Amino acid sequence: MSALSLEKKILYSTTFCAYREFRGNKIACRHEFSFKICDLDLCPIALKYFANIVFLPEGITLVVKEPSEDKVAGEWKKIPLEIAPDLDNEKELEDLIRKEANKINKKNMQVLLERLHRIFERYRFLKSKGKELPILQQKEMEIESEEVPEVLEES
């Protein structure tokens, strides 16, 4: 995937984007699926194909945007990323990301895989310090709470 032309970059940065926010000498992006920086080579609005890993209430999620015939802005697909409690499935998740987001540009893929790696590094650090991994712990608790209590028959 090629980068945007200079003309398109100017249009997106001055006219089309409602998510730009100036913070001192930096420009941030407020789009819910962005990398939180204003970089048109990593822009969920400007790019036809885009992907990121985000933290949603239901867990860590790969979001992938692709063009759509029904929606002008494109269609978003959400794919849950299940991190194993022993943190040994980073390679499997990387393969899943490469498969699901295979049409994104090279820069987006590089930043996306780096984000996955940083998440695993952070979780490994927390685990080494004896800290709970909130999302993983929540999933384990949900499994325990789904047990069906025994029903006693009335005589």
Side-chain angles (χ1 to χ4, degrees):
M1 300 286 116
S2 62
L4 293 174
S5 68
L6 181 59
E7 295 83 11
K8 283 188 177 181
K9 284 185 177 186
I10 291 170
L11 278 174
Y12 275 102
S13 64
T14 59
T15 307
F16 295 144
C17 187
Y19 297 99
R20 290 169 56 93
E21 182 176 282
F22 293 92
R23 294 184 183 164
N25 60 354
K26 295 182 181 180
I27 303 173
C29 178
R30 294 180 289 117
H31 190 278
E32 64 182 322
F33 297 147
S34 74
F35 287 99
K36 305 306 175 206
I37 57 169
C38 186
D39 180 344
L40 290 173
D41 293 328
L42 294 173
C43 180
I45 303 300
L47 298 173
K48 284 184 183 179
Y49 298 94
F50 175 83
N52 194 3
I53 299 170
V54 296
F55 291 83
L56 298 176
E58 56 269 16
I60 300 172
T61 305
L62 172 66
V63 290
V64 180
K65 175 190 159 194
E66 295 185 344
S68 169
E69 303 236 347
D70 300 330
K71 297 180 181 178
V72 174
E75 189 89 33
W76 287 95
K77 182 169 54 168
K78 294 179 182 178
I79 301 134
L81 297 178
E82 298 291 331
I83 296 178
D86 53 359
L87 305 174
D88 66 348
N89 66 331
E90 183 174 359
K91 178 69 174 129
E92 291 86 13
L93 291 181
E94 182 180 324
D95 293 342
L96 174 69
I97 289 169
R98 287 183 188 279
K99 179 182 151 221
E100 293 292 336
N102 63 352
K103 295 180 182 177
I104 63 176
N105 68 39
K106 189 175 182 178
K107 184 175 181 178
N108 191 176
M109 183 62 78
Q110 179 183 356
V111 173
L112 182 62
L113 294 176
E114 177 61 30
R115 183 163 171 80
L116 176 70
H117 180 69
R118 283 186 316 214
I119 290 168
F120 269 90
E121 285 296 309
R122 179 68 180 160
Y123 276 29
R124 287 182 187 111
F125 173 78
L126 290 172
K127 190 172 183 176
S128 75
K129 299 296 181 189
K131 304 288 184 189
E132 290 185 10
L133 305 178
I135 293 175
L136 300 179
Q137 298 299 330
Q138 180 183 358
K139 294 249 182 237
E140 289 173 6
M141 288 175 57
E142 287 174 6
I143 292 170
E144 289 175 13
S145 67
E146 289 178 7
E147 293 177 9
V148 180
E150 273 186 45
V151 178
L152 299 176
E153 291 183 26
E154 292 184 27
S155 31

